[in-house]
Amino acid sequence: MAENPTEMKTGLFDRLMRIDRRVIFVFISVALIVPLFFNVSQRIQVSPEVQMLNDAMSKVPDGALVLYAMDYDPPSAPELQPMAVAAFKVALAKKFKMVIIGLWPQGPQQANMAFETATHDPLFKDVKLTYGVDYVNLGFQSGNEAVIQKMGSDIPTTFPRDYAGTPVDQLPLMKGIKNLGNFDFMVNISAGYPGTREWVQFGADRFGLKMVSGSTAVQTTEMSPYVGKQLLGLMGGMRGAAEFEQVSGYPGRAIKFMVGQSVAHVIVIVFIVIGNIAYFATRKKRGA
Amino acid sequence: MARQQQSEKCASHKPARMGRASGILLFLMLALSASVVFAQAPNGGAAPRSASDPQAADTKGDEGGSIMLRWTLSPDDSAGQVTGYEIFRAAKPDGPFQSVGFASRGSARFADGSTDDDSAYYYKIVTTGPGGSTETAVIGPARSTAEWFNSNRANVLVIGLLISGAVLYYIASARKGKKLFIRRIAGLEAVHDAIGRATEMGRPILYIPGIQDMDDVQTVAGVTILGYVARTIAEYDTKLEVPTSRSIVMSTARETIKAAFLSAGRPEKYSDDMVNYITDEQFGYVAAVDGIMVREKPATCFYMGAFFAEALIMAETGNSIGAIQIAGTAMPAQLPFFVAACDYTLIGEELFAASAYLSNEPRQLGSLKGQDVGKSIAMLAIAAGTALFTLNQILRVEWFASAGQWLKNLFIVN
Amino acid sequence: MRREIPTAIAFFVGIICIIQFFIPHRPFGTLVDVFSDWFGIVAAFAIWLGALNLLKVSLERSFSKKKTHDRWYGLVVAASFFLIFIIGMFMSGGDQFQVPGSRFDYLYVNIYTPLSSTMFALLAFFVASASYRAFRARSWEATLLLIAAFFVMLGRAPIGDQLTGFMPEGYRLSEVANWIMTYPQVAGQRAIMIGIALGVASASLRLILGLERSYLGGE
Amino acid sequence: MWMEHPGWVLFGTWVAALFTLGIATFLYKDNPVYKFCEAVFVGISAGYWFVSYFWQTLLPKLGYPFYAGVKTMFVGPAEWGWLVLLIPGTLGVMMLLRLVPKAGWIARWPLAFIVGYTAGLRLITFLQSNAMTQLQNSVQPVVRYDASGQFLGWESFNILLVTVGTFAGLFYFFFSQEHKGVFGRVARVGTWFLMITFGAAFGYTVMGRMSLLIGRLDFLLADWLHLIR
């Protein structure tokens, strides 16, 4: 109490320099929780990579044979699940023949969930698909990039049985499919290794697969140099998912979640600003 | 803010969305009916005109067992009258023909990947559409063969040999005792200080060799650096903790530390308890490592190897207990987090350089020099290629462009 | 012999994988395919090794003489392992174990998923606390880090565009963020990637040629 | 099926919610609840991988073909192809010998196989996809004109920026030369680009990390408490 005003001010900035991180945690929680209670959405500017992706997918002819490689697990699902759902919706609209696989053990399960969500959309209530004829889920194979390498030469021996244990030669859709060269297009949803990088290196570079990717925000920076010839489009993180939902015309979860994102980003930035103000204030003090 | 959002919700949002949805629906219906109308227009529901100029030849640069078919698209291809091209094959020109595959509308090639080498095959391409199908003349015979060299990849071979050669040359000369200069790497001095700090404080050192297996070269580098850290620690009474995410890394790390303590003359101080396997699962592993951190309160944390999302969880927890943290990884996605949360970070290739620098072994130093040759090639190529293309743009001399393209083609991969 | 045979194996397998890339002719392609199957099998055994190791350590901890609280946690580890093991191996319809609705799937959805997702979600908090601490303009380099992070962060969130909606197209925050991501960011990323590629290639070369054997344990 | 029973669904949701909250308590500080969740997590995850690999890799790739092969010895024409499977099978068992202290060294054989295989594949792919392709993308004219011959200043500047940045960044990773004089200055510019890269990548990721938390909150508030729809 005996401090004079300037000292008190310094004290304030000193405290601001070292805010207990749990204070930040509380702010972040509130920022993300509150908007969930309100049904607001924002207009989102679509980035060139997502536009490319959407264009590339629209150019794939209806009824084409498309590989869906789902290389992620539940922890990344908040970002990636909306992408998978939207990508399946495009497939339903364009009547793609789908082969679903996963290089992550949990990938095929996630794919099933996303597929379910997509087919339950009222837009597609008239679309009736038959398992084995219109789509198959071949499940997971271990071996990371080795699996892709082998798919380049022979898919039926790489995935001898599907997700439910049925031998692939009993699946009508698999009849004409020998290797990666048979696919007209590929959608990869990826949370890390093995994922988009391996599909680019082994699928696109070696076997000429035409592919697009949805990836977690964190690895998007690593993937963006591949965009162009190797990768025909890329959506990164929840923002990418929201952009794709918007541009493809199938709004979903991602668009809704973007509000909380905005608030949380603002909070992080406010804290960065506070940290810098406090830093300069105390530095002057120290210098003087 | 909350109130504003709520009012927005009540006032305008839902109708707007419904309006948009019905707009989309309307548009879809319009587009659909339009496409039906246009699809009917040019050729009134008849069979599409056939693809032309079919060719069948061995697929080049492969292991055999494949014949490549090419054709010119049907003139009706873009009009929506073609669903695709079905490929039929027979052992004799007059059949019987069997379908071997289907190429969708717009594609003008198909690799038949189910041929026996050196047998003759005859093909015909059937253009199918909603109105029927038409076929090309039978072509053949075509035979598939396996090639002994994929000439498309000659440039990879040349560049690979060049860099490998440089690496091996410098390793050889380093082994002969030639002094190779390696610049100081910022952050490496810190390794020694950080070990000293833990000793002074009487608190343990935590070493995380990444979460990948020994087949990842980053893990190999991480374990090599662990050897150096262990050698230094052996001089003091500092406790070392190495939780691992892979069972093979656990046993390798144990042997490495044992050897390091032996070479420091303190084999009696080593115990297997220093290294423990936790789980292969990334987040299960980090849950346990976080637990170790808050319970044992290490003075120094090292993160050297391949990391994924767990990187920041560990680095922030380490920060909250006030540890000095030194990281090194070649996972580009995780570098930003280590740079932000750790005191020192070895960036990408520096991780490999650090393991060379610290181990001071000729083969590691030599290969670092070899990598520098690679980088020189890269920088030269960027400088020369950019200069050539730019000169062409300014002076409009075609020669510059073709020289630049030649250079660029060296790096094009098929 | 304890080192020579492993070195020879690594050399043989590694060289074949390289040759296969350049020489498509049989038997190399087939061999690499076979290797890839073997790789999967050996990797599966490595998982078993890890699990057995874990059981050994936690059971040792549970039944050790030292009466610490830790022993209970060791028991919890072992019990959880056996729970999912028994259900997955014997009670979930064999290789149909992952089909939605199986008992294994029930554990996956209600235990495994919340645990791993929540651990991962802690990152939301840590990313905030780390950026508060790290992004301060202490030096020129730190300032660049700060500025880049600041613009990209704002530009990524839709609010960035709403704040700068009055600006002409091309100058809005999301476009500034995209610019940073497509130009300066790509430059740095490329340098890092090329450097790493050379590092990985030369380390792989050493591993194949047996010049680097530290993976075999202490030298 | 039994788990479609509302009671089981409810029970599962409660278990999931409690584990979610249990892990989250770590943010405040370490505590017995977190330690319990941590122990369950370690055990469950190890078991999960064990079971998955058994059904998805070991049986289809080793178990079934092996069994089918052995069967031909007794019924039908004998085939010998399955004998090859003895190699990976043996390598796998050798791996498990790590558990036996005296015989641990034998596990180096399968390890060498794994290391050799990945080293061989990665040597090529990293050179090809990371080094060469990136180089190829870096070679382009830094002066740009549009179709009518008009000089494009901004585009040219951007390309120049990428080229200079890549070049300087590579210089930073050059180890044979002390960072002094001109070299030092170029390398310094390289670190600037690296810093921008890291800052941008960090900022870009914040959203991804927030997404994860939104996912969990959505679960707690919607699936568990039914507070939101």
Side-chain angles (χ1 to χ4, degrees):
Chain A
M1 282 288 114
E3 293 156 317
N4 67 39
T6 53
E7 267 180 20
M8 266 181 68
K9 203 170 179 186
T10 320
L12 172 72
F13 283 125
D14 275 333
R15 278 205 298 281
L16 283 179
M17 280 281 281
R18 287 181 295 271
I19 298 175
D20 188 327
R21 55 188 204 145
R22 284 174 285 201
V23 174
I24 304 175
F25 295 169
V26 170
F27 272 90
I28 292 293
S29 314
V30 172
L32 290 180
I33 290 173
V34 172
L36 284 180
F37 286 92
F38 304 102
N39 210 358
V40 196
S41 73
Q42 296 168 290
R43 205 189 64 82
I44 298 157
Q45 185 122 4
V46 176
S47 64
E49 285 85 359
V50 177
Q51 191 64 51
M52 272 177 73
L53 184 143
N54 190 56
D55 296 347
M57 271 191 101
S58 340
K59 273 195 213 114
V60 182
D62 287 8
L65 182 65
V66 180
L67 178 67
Y68 277 79
M70 300 302 191
D71 306 327
Y72 64 101
D73 55 1
S76 320
E79 277 182 286
L80 300 181
Q81 199 73 0
M83 296 181 186
V85 172
F88 278 130
K89 285 182 181 170
V90 173
L92 292 176
K94 293 179 65 85
K95 305 196 171 46
F96 289 160
K97 304 280 179 204
M98 287 169 271
V99 175
I100 301 163
I101 63 153
L103 300 182
W104 287 38
Q106 305 92 334
Q109 262 162 306
Q110 294 296 329
N112 276 348
M113 280 150 67
F115 190 78
E116 193 112 313
T117 317
T119 48
H120 278 86
D121 189 311
L123 275 179
F124 303 110
K125 67 174 190 298
D126 297 331
V127 180
K128 293 276 172 288
L129 297 184
T130 318
Y131 183 82
V133 178
D134 300 303
Y135 70 104
V136 294
N137 187 341
L138 297 184
F140 156 79
Q141 268 307 331
S142 63
N144 304 334
E145 60 264 46
V147 175
I148 309 176
Q149 168 76 24
K150 214 184 150 201
M151 286 178 79
S153 51
D154 194 343
I155 291 176
T157 60
T158 320
F159 288 87
R161 281 155 190 275
D162 77 348
Y163 180 79
T166 317
V168 286
D169 50 13
Q170 293 176 15
L171 301 167
L173 178 59
M174 294 302 292
K175 287 262 148 61
I177 301 177
K178 170 80 176 143
N179 56 35
L180 288 179
N182 293 112
F183 288 98
D184 300 305
F185 199 68
M186 168 188 172
V187 179
N188 178 225
I189 308 283
S190 147
Y193 169 81
T196 300
R197 189 213 313 245
E198 285 67 35
W199 280 107
V200 167
Q201 290 178 344
F202 290 86
D205 288 356
R206 289 195 173 187
F207 302 111
L209 209 54
K210 285 185 210 137
M211 66 178 285
V212 294
S213 155
S215 87
T216 49
V218 62
Q219 53 157 6
T220 304
T221 50
E222 257 180 279
M223 300 309 147
S224 56
Y226 294 128
V227 175
K229 278 192 214 85
Q230 291 162 293
L231 207 53
L232 302 178
L234 177 67
M235 45 185 164
M238 189 173 274
R239 163 97 191 221
E243 289 173 14
F244 183 56
E245 284 180 358
Q246 182 164 309
V247 73
S248 67
Y250 302 112
R253 300 290 261 184
I255 287 183
K256 182 186 169 188
F257 290 153
M258 286 314 280
V259 181
Q261 290 281 12
S262 277
V263 184
H265 276 68
V266 169
I267 297 222
V268 172
I269 283 167
V270 166
F271 272 105
I272 293 177
V273 171
I274 292 176
N276 276 287
I277 292 174
Y279 172 73
F280 280 105
T282 52
R283 192 177 70 161
K284 259 182 216 140
K285 201 76 197 165
R286 280 197 301 272
Chain B
M1 171 159 274
R3 175 176 294 173
Q4 191 194 346
Q5 283 169 352
Q6 198 167 25
S7 64
E8 266 180 43
K9 174 189 162 194
C10 299
S12 66
H13 182 70
K14 272 194 177 158
R17 182 177 284 180
M18 274 173 66
R20 198 163 58 207
S22 51
I24 290 171
L25 217 75
L26 201 69
F27 173 74
L28 276 178
M29 283 162 61
L30 272 175
L32 262 172
S33 45
S35 68
V36 171
V37 171
F38 285 119
Q40 298 284 334
N43 203 352
R49 281 169 282 173
S50 170
S52 50
D53 193 23
Q55 285 165 1
D58 174 43
T59 310
K60 287 292 160 207
D62 70 346
E63 56 166 336
S66 166
I67 290 176
M68 180 63 79
L69 294 133
R70 293 168 200 278
W71 57 88
T72 307
L73 293 178
S74 153
D76 297 328
D77 186 278
S78 52
Q81 286 207 339
V82 175
T83 44
Y85 304 89
E86 188 154 22
I87 319 299
F88 285 86
R89 186 181 77 188
K92 290 185 196 129
D94 46 356
F97 279 91
Q98 274 193 324
S99 166
V100 288
F102 189 80
S104 56
R105 173 161 60 103
S107 48
R109 46 179 245 172
F110 178 83
D112 173 13
S114 55
T115 59
D116 288 327
D117 285 355
D118 301 321
S119 336
Y121 290 101
Y122 296 85
Y123 290 90
K124 62 181 180 186
I125 291 148
V126 178
T127 311
T128 57
S133 57
T134 49
E135 41 190 74
T136 61
V138 173
I139 45 167
R143 292 183 170 82
S144 63
T145 50
E147 277 77 36
W148 278 103
F149 183 66
N150 185 342
S151 47
N152 293 331
R153 292 173 173 168
N155 57 342
V156 183
L157 183 65
V158 170
I159 288 174
L161 284 179
L162 210 62
I163 291 170
S164 307
V167 169
L168 294 179
Y169 168 79
Y170 279 110
I171 290 179
S173 59
R175 280 190 158 172
K176 272 186 217 134
K178 190 158 178 263
K179 268 283 197 202
L180 298 178
F181 172 80
I182 299 290
R183 75 166 163 86
R184 277 182 32 228
I185 297 166
L188 275 192
E189 282 81 21
V191 171
H192 214 90
D193 296 346
I195 296 173
R197 180 171 181 265
T199 311
E200 276 168 30
M201 297 174 74
R203 278 166 36 185
I205 289 174
L206 185 71
Y207 194 101
I208 312 285
I211 65 157
Q212 287 296 86
D213 221 324
M214 282 318 291
D215 63 346
D216 193 308
V217 290
Q218 298 180 58
T219 316
V220 174
V223 171
T224 311
I225 299 175
L226 172 64
Y228 170 82
V229 171
R231 227 169 19 249
T232 318
I233 288 177
E235 321 263 327
Y236 310 109
D237 277 321
T238 314
K239 200 175 151 202
L240 177 65
E241 291 225 28
V242 188
T244 72
S245 170
R246 304 283 164 156
S247 53
I248 304 173
V249 177
M250 174 190 75
S251 23
T252 315
R254 280 184 179 162
E255 289 188 42
T256 305
I257 298 176
K258 201 191 277 179
F261 275 59
L262 190 68
S263 75
R266 299 288 175 86
E268 75 285 353
K269 280 193 180 169
Y270 169 80
S271 96
D272 269 357
D273 293 344
M274 292 173 171
V275 189
N276 270 311
Y277 167 83
I278 293 177
T279 168
D280 273 70
E281 155 71 38
Q282 176 186 15
F283 293 110
Y285 175 72
V286 76
V289 169
D290 271 6
I292 295 174
M293 281 184 182
V294 291
R295 283 157 219 154
E296 312 254 334
K297 300 219 170 1
T300 302
C301 302
F302 290 99
Y303 312 99
M304 301 279 180
F307 290 90
F308 295 84
E310 71 290 341
L312 185 66
I313 303 183
M314 293 193 287
E316 273 297 287
T317 308
N319 192 283
S320 74
I321 54 164
I324 286 268
Q325 309 198 88
I326 303 176
T329 187
M331 303 303 280
Q334 298 309 324
L335 279 167
F337 305 112
F338 277 145
V339 168
C342 293
D343 299 274
Y344 298 94
T345 305
L346 301 170
I347 300 166
E349 207 186 351
E350 284 184 318
L351 172 68
F352 304 115
S355 95
Y357 196 89
L358 290 177
S359 69
N360 210 28
E361 286 175 36
R363 38 171 202 249
Q364 294 219 18
L365 291 174
S367 79
L368 203 55
K369 280 279 186 199
Q371 284 157 240
D372 274 358
V373 172
K375 266 164 286 177
S376 315
I377 296 175
M379 287 190 283
L380 259 173
I382 292 178
T386 308
L388 286 169
F389 275 116
T390 307
L391 280 174
N392 170 58
Q393 285 279 308
I394 298 171
L395 304 174
R396 300 277 158 197
V397 178
E398 210 38 55
W399 180 87
F400 286 122
S402 32
Q405 197 53 49
W406 178 83
L407 192 70
K408 196 167 175 164
N409 284 343
L410 281 183
F411 302 104
I412 288 181
V413 192
N414 294 299
Chain C
M1 284 309 274
R2 290 190 176 191
R3 286 183 179 281
E4 284 72 12
I5 292 181
T7 313
I9 293 176
F11 175 77
F12 176 72
V13 175
I15 284 290
I16 289 196
C17 289
I18 294 175
I19 290 177
Q20 175 267 155
F21 184 78
F22 298 106
I23 301 182
H25 204 282
R26 289 187 194 93
F28 297 107
T30 329
L31 257 180
V32 172
D33 284 351
V34 169
F35 285 165
S36 114
D37 277 347
W38 293 5
F39 184 95
I41 293 170
V42 175
F45 275 101
I47 293 278
W48 282 33
L49 172 65
L52 292 172
N53 238 314
L54 174 74
L55 280 183
K56 191 172 142 223
V57 172
S58 37
L59 289 176
E60 269 171 14
R61 198 164 55 158
S62 321
F63 295 105
S64 75
K65 298 238 168 57
K66 278 184 277 178
K67 297 227 181 238
T68 56
H69 286 297
D70 267 8
R71 43 197 304 218
W72 297 112
Y73 296 113
L75 275 182
V76 174
V77 170
S80 323
F81 178 87
F82 282 116
L83 174 74
I84 198 162
F85 172 79
I86 290 168
I87 286 184
M89 299 296 277
F90 310 111
M91 298 169 66
S92 299
D95 54 9
Q96 312 258 329
F97 72 108
Q98 268 186 328
V99 172
S102 73
R103 292 184 176 84
F104 186 82
D105 187 60
Y106 188 78
L107 292 188
Y108 173 78
V109 171
N110 294 314
I111 301 183
Y112 183 93
T113 308
L115 284 170
S116 57
S117 312
T118 312
M119 202 65 218
F120 199 1
L122 294 187
L123 272 175
F125 298 108
F126 290 148
V127 100
S129 60
S131 50
Y132 162 70
R133 223 182 42 250
F135 296 144
R136 286 184 191 163
R138 292 192 191 88
S139 62
W140 171 234
E141 276 83 3
T143 311
L144 284 173
L145 189 78
L146 163 69
I147 292 174
F150 184 88
F151 278 107
V152 173
M153 231 180 262
L154 260 185
R156 287 285 294 164
I159 196 155
D161 283 330
Q162 284 155 1
L163 287 176
T164 50
F166 62 91
M167 300 281 280
E169 202 150 318
Y171 295 90
R172 291 182 195 143
L173 268 171
S174 70
E175 286 147 340
V176 173
N178 269 335
W179 180 83
I180 295 178
M181 291 305 287
T182 21
Y183 298 108
Q185 194 273 137
V186 161
Q189 205 68 254
R190 269 192 192 149
I192 295 174
M193 278 167 84
I194 294 174
I196 289 173
L198 292 167
V200 170
S202 80
S204 302
L205 183 73
R206 292 202 308 267
L207 288 169
I208 293 170
L209 297 183
L211 292 168
E212 168 85 60
R213 287 189 286 189
S214 57
Y215 68 92
L216 296 174
E219 245 186 306
Chain D
M1 228 178 317
W2 65 272
M3 41 283 237
E4 279 161 17
H5 186 277
W8 279 109
V9 173
L10 189 68
F11 178 71
T13 310
W14 272 83
V15 169
L18 293 179
F19 276 124
T20 302
L21 295 174
I23 292 284
T25 57
F26 182 74
L27 289 170
Y28 182 63
K29 64 182 220 194
D30 187 33
N31 63 73
V33 176
Y34 173 76
K35 279 181 94 172
F36 175 79
C37 294
E38 174 196 320
V40 171
F41 194 2
V42 169
I44 285 279
S45 59
Y48 176 87
W49 289 87
F50 189 103
V51 173
S52 297
Y53 269 89
F54 178 80
W55 291 115
Q56 293 183 322
T57 302
L58 272 185
L59 275 192
K61 294 233 155 120
L62 187 65
Y64 293 144
F66 195 84
Y67 174 73
V70 173
K71 215 163 85 178
T72 63
M73 300 291 99
F74 301 99
V75 276
E79 283 174 21
W80 299 99
W82 60 276
L83 281 176
V84 161
L85 289 171
L86 285 175
I87 302 175
T90 314
L91 285 176
V93 173
M94 285 173 159
M95 187 69 104
L96 290 182
L97 284 179
R98 269 282 184 210
L99 290 172
V100 185
K102 282 263 157 57
W105 60 271
I106 200 107
R108 287 173 179 167
W109 292 28
L111 178 58
F113 172 80
I114 286 191
V115 166
Y117 180 80
T118 27
L121 281 188
R122 289 201 180 150
L123 176 70
I124 296 292
T125 41
F126 269 81
L127 267 189
Q128 186 195 14
S129 297
N130 278 26
M132 292 174 62
T133 313
Q134 293 309 322
L135 265 178
Q136 180 206 331
N137 292 338
S138 308
V139 175
Q140 46 185 332
V142 294
V143 176
R144 293 287 168 111
Y145 300 93
D146 67 5
S148 61
Q150 187 72 33
F151 176 64
L152 297 170
W154 179 237
E155 279 74 8
S156 307
F157 169 76
N158 286 337
I159 304 293
L160 182 68
L161 197 69
V162 177
T163 311
V164 169
T166 311
F167 192 89
L170 277 174
F171 217 96
Y172 171 80
F173 289 113
F174 207 71
F175 296 105
S176 307
Q177 188 71 42
E178 196 72 66
H179 285 170
K180 276 190 210 142
V182 182
F183 290 108
R185 255 168 279 158
V186 179
R188 179 105 198 269
V189 174
T191 59
W192 297 350
F193 276 92
L194 292 181
M195 285 300 142
I196 294 176
T197 301
F198 294 147
F202 192 113
Y204 193 90
T205 316
V206 174
M207 176 161 293
R209 300 320 191 202
M210 295 297 163
S211 314
L212 304 167
L213 187 53
I214 292 179
R216 289 328 289 160
L217 292 172
D218 190 45
F219 165 74
L220 288 178
L221 297 173
D223 298 353
W224 183 43
L225 297 175
H226 301 292
L227 289 176
I228 56 173
R229 194 182 55 82

